[in-house]
Amino acid sequence: MGYYRDAYDFEALLANVLIPLGSNGSNAIRRRIIDLASDEPVDDLPEVVAADAIVVVDGTFLHRPPLPDYWDYSVFVDTPLDIARARGIARDADALGGTEAAGRAFDQRYHAACRIYLDEVDPRAKATRVLSIDSSAIG
């Protein structure tokens, strides 16, 4: 439950990206708040983006309230958990201490949080577009 509630600083996303891009915003955004590798705050200066810029935000749990109020268009990639788990283990095994440790992390942390998100938020219903990954098409 903790990962789902606390993994991301959505208030910082709102303050540093979404509100500045709103109709009364400054268009001055920060691309990073936290360095992913070190998990340490960064002090990047805001940069002004064009008023007609298309800004893509990629991440998990992005249909949690109040975020959908700020999206002009959103996509939910509906991936079966077994496929997401296999891809995540392959991608993150080295960083998480090996294949077994990565599998445990996905089962106990990441996918546990994902199940809460799917149940509480129903991102399929909130997204502008749902892209369904067909497991039979994955080789």
Side-chain angles (χ1 to χ4, degrees):
M1 173 84 69
Y3 179 74
Y4 176 64
R5 300 278 181 237
D6 302 324
Y8 301 103
D9 186 347
F10 290 127
E11 301 224 354
L13 174 64
L14 285 165
N16 292 282
V17 179
L18 301 180
I19 291 171
L21 291 174
S23 59
N24 295 317
S26 65
N27 283 8
I29 65 168
R30 289 181 57 203
R31 290 178 184 255
R32 299 183 317 151
I33 310 289
I34 300 286
D35 177 72
L36 183 60
S38 68
D39 198 31
E40 295 291 327
V42 295
D43 197 23
D44 292 355
L45 295 175
E47 66 181 88
V48 176
V49 297
D52 63 348
I54 295 173
V55 176
V56 177
V57 178
D58 173 34
T60 54
F61 313 144
L62 293 177
H63 288 95
R64 282 177 55 176
L67 299 178
D69 295 340
Y70 293 88
W71 305 134
D72 292 321
Y73 191 94
S74 70
V75 176
F76 176 69
V77 181
D78 191 6
T79 306
L81 289 180
D82 60 328
I83 292 173
R85 182 182 191 275
R87 288 179 176 173
I89 290 170
R91 180 190 63 233
D92 297 338
D94 289 343
L96 295 175
T99 302
E100 287 183 35
R104 281 192 303 277
F106 275 86
D107 294 340
Q108 297 170 6
R109 182 179 176 130
Y110 306 125
H111 285 170
C114 184
R115 285 182 181 91
I116 295 168
Y117 175 61
L118 294 172
D119 290 344
E120 284 188 4
V121 174
D122 190 12
R124 292 172 194 92
K126 291 192 174 30
T128 308
R129 175 84 191 260
V130 175
L131 298 177
S132 295
I133 301 299
D134 179 2
S135 60
S136 66
I138 306 294

